[in-house]
Amino acid sequence: MTKDTINVTIRLDREIKERAEQMFEDFGMNLSTAVNIFIRQALRKGKIPFEIYDPFYSEANQAELRRRIEEIENGTAKLTVHELIEVDDDE
């Protein structure tokens, strides 16, 4: 590290931190090195260096939703009635 290094504090759930430390240790690095690699790659690419996605929008899930909508519209869907249980948010 150069003389111009600074300390940065980040907050993580304890379990996430421990799992990450173990994984990065298996790669031969510590958490600080892994974060540095991530930030340097983000700066080089000018974006997050990996795809961020919501699995809800995956092609497989969208196809399943389309299939179910078609079944409902055709009247062939096997629908189940569920009782709605109201919960007071103040509890």
Side-chain angles (χ1 to χ4, degrees):
M1 282 200 253
T2 65
K3 286 177 146 181
D4 282 343
T5 62
I6 61 167
N7 288 327
V8 176
T9 302
I10 60 172
R11 293 185 181 275
L12 294 172
D13 290 340
R14 182 179 312 277
E15 180 186 347
I16 297 294
K17 178 184 179 277
E18 290 169 358
R19 288 173 52 200
E21 284 176 326
Q22 182 59 56
M23 184 183 79
F24 295 132
E25 182 180 309
D26 291 346
F27 293 148
M29 67 181 84
N30 61 25
L31 187 58
S32 179
T33 300
V35 170
N36 267 284
I37 290 170
F38 165 77
I39 291 172
R40 288 172 185 271
Q41 279 295 99
L43 292 171
R44 280 187 191 109
K45 294 181 178 235
K47 65 178 188 172
I48 301 292
F50 48 82
E51 183 180 358
I52 299 175
Y53 65 95
D54 183 341
F56 177 82
Y57 296 102
S58 72
E59 185 53 42
N61 194 48
Q62 294 300 302
E64 178 66 16
L65 290 171
R66 285 190 294 274
R67 183 188 68 76
R68 290 181 185 209
I69 289 169
E70 185 176 324
E71 285 181 354
I72 291 168
E73 290 174 344
N74 292 339
T76 59
K78 296 177 181 149
L79 301 176
T80 306
V81 176
H82 293 275
E83 183 179 330
L84 177 62
I85 301 172
E86 292 188 34
V87 177
D88 185 6
D89 290 340
D90 294 334
E91 292 180 8

